[in-house]
Amino acid sequence: MKKKLSALLLGTSLVMGLAACGGGDKDESKNTDNGGTTKTTETADAQKIYDQKCSSCHGGDMKGAMGPNLTKVGSKYSKDEILDILKNGKSGGMPAGLVTGDDAETMASWLAAKK
């Protein structure tokens, strides 16, 4: 019984890990203000990126699962430190390059505001 449970947990972890690496479709979330101009809603973009790339390890509520709690990560790390972690990973399980380019900048700003 323990072998079956272990195999199930390992398989589930593998699937969740691979799901975190998926995505990559860039869907620009835009809204229009009363003046008729279009602006990117950075918070909505960051939440969408988080849901696609990060939630499988850090939990849908950011309170941690396999990865650490991120609800107050901005009080521990600066935007630049968070960006460095997103780009280069961190020993202990955070893979490098999971979020890149403009998405990494958006995520770093959003996470740095979590205090």
Side-chain angles (χ1 to χ4, degrees), residues 42-44 46-47 62 69-83 86 104-115:
E42 192 168 302
T43 300
Q47 184 65 54
M62 300 179 73
N69 184 325
L70 297 179
T71 57
K72 296 183 181 180
V73 70
S75 63
K76 184 175 181 180
Y77 297 109
S78 70
K79 177 188 173 194
D80 290 336
E81 290 171 321
I82 293 169
L83 186 57
L86 289 172
E105 289 283 341
T106 300
M107 287 298 298
S109 295
W110 183 66
L111 289 170
K114 305 278 182 202
K115 298 183 182 208

Side-chain angles (χ1 to χ4, degrees), residues 12-107:
T12 302
S13 297
L14 181 61
V15 168
M16 290 179 72
L18 291 173
C21 295
D25 293 302
K26 185 147 178 146
D27 182 348
E28 296 293 326
S29 297
K30 306 224 179 220
N31 68 0
T32 304
D33 64 16
N34 290 336
T37 60
T38 304
K39 63 181 181 179
T40 303
T41 53
E42 192 168 302
T43 300
D45 287 346
Q47 184 65 54
K48 185 175 182 178
I49 296 164
Y50 177 85
D51 290 342
Q52 290 176 347
K53 308 257 182 166
C54 310
S55 64
S56 62
C57 291
H58 295 283
D61 58 0
M62 300 179 73
K63 292 184 178 176
M66 292 185 321
N69 184 325
L70 297 179
T71 57
K72 296 183 181 180
V73 70
S75 63
K76 184 175 181 180
Y77 297 109
S78 70
K79 177 188 173 194
D80 290 336
E81 290 171 321
I82 293 169
L83 186 57
D84 182 63
I85 292 169
L86 289 172
K87 288 182 177 180
N88 302 312
K90 189 169 180 181
S91 63
M94 176 69 186
L98 202 57
V99 182
T100 58
D102 291 340
D103 287 351
E105 289 283 341
T106 300
M107 287 298 298

